[in-house]
């Protein structure tokens, strides 16, 4: 993983902490990759099977194909970095490029 990605990840984690994110619970963390064609995206998506994984493929406005992989896990720097590296190794053979990760923040209701 490049040091640029490291900086981005640590920045995002800091912002999440400042926003009151609950790091003591597991959350669905979204990992993103983009592919030049649907076949590559769907083949890559089939590599991800398991209880804590959910993969979705859809076409983008620019004609590229987007893979969104949701993995239920703790939001830790090492955990995210390790999974992002494994994700990259699995999508690369199908022409995919990793586009980062994110968390859909649940709003707390009083």
């Amino acid at each position: 993983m490049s040091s640029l990605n490291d900086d981005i990840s640590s920045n995002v984690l800091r912002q999440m902490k400042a926003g009151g994110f609950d790091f003591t619970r597991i959350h669905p963390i979204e990992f993103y990759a983009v592919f030049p064609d649907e076949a590559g995206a769907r083949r890559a998506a089939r590599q991800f099977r398991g209880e804590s994984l959910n993969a979705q493929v859809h076409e983008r406005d620019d004609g590229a194909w987007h893979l969104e992989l949701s993995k239920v896990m703790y939001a830790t720097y090492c955990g995210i970095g390790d999974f992002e590296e494994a994700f990259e190794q699995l999508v690369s053979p199908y022409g995919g490029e990793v586009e980062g990760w994110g968390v859909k923040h649940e709003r707390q209701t009083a």
Side-chain angles (χ1 to χ4, degrees):
M1 193 158 77
S2 76
S3 61
L4 176 63
N5 282 351
D6 289 348
D7 291 346
I8 292 169
S9 286
S10 55
N11 243 354
V12 170
L13 289 167
R14 270 196 300 277
Q15 288 170 5
M16 287 163 57
K17 187 174 184 173
F21 186 82
D22 184 356
F23 287 95
T24 64
R25 296 186 317 138
I26 57 172
H27 297 271
I29 310 288
E30 316 289 335
F31 294 88
Y32 309 104
V34 66
F35 294 80
D37 57 47
E38 181 181 9
R42 295 213 180 274
R43 278 198 300 272
R46 283 196 290 272
Q47 303 301 309
F48 300 98
R49 289 281 178 262
E51 270 178 39
S52 65
L53 295 173
N54 176 27
Q56 295 182 345
V57 173
H58 55 273
E59 190 172 11
R60 297 192 332 182
D61 293 342
D62 62 4
W65 286 80
H66 197 249
L67 168 61
E68 181 179 303
L69 181 75
S70 182
K71 178 174 173 51
V72 177
M73 61 189 287
Y74 288 102
T76 66
Y77 183 77
C78 289
I80 289 168
D82 289 349
F83 188 78
E84 204 170 26
E85 221 167 84
F87 185 48
E88 190 164 22
Q89 287 170 5
L90 273 166
V91 302
S92 293
Y94 302 103
E97 274 184 49
V98 172
E99 276 201 323
W101 62 274
V103 177
K104 290 182 172 83
H105 195 61
E106 305 112 24
R107 295 232 178 267
Q108 300 299 321
T109 53

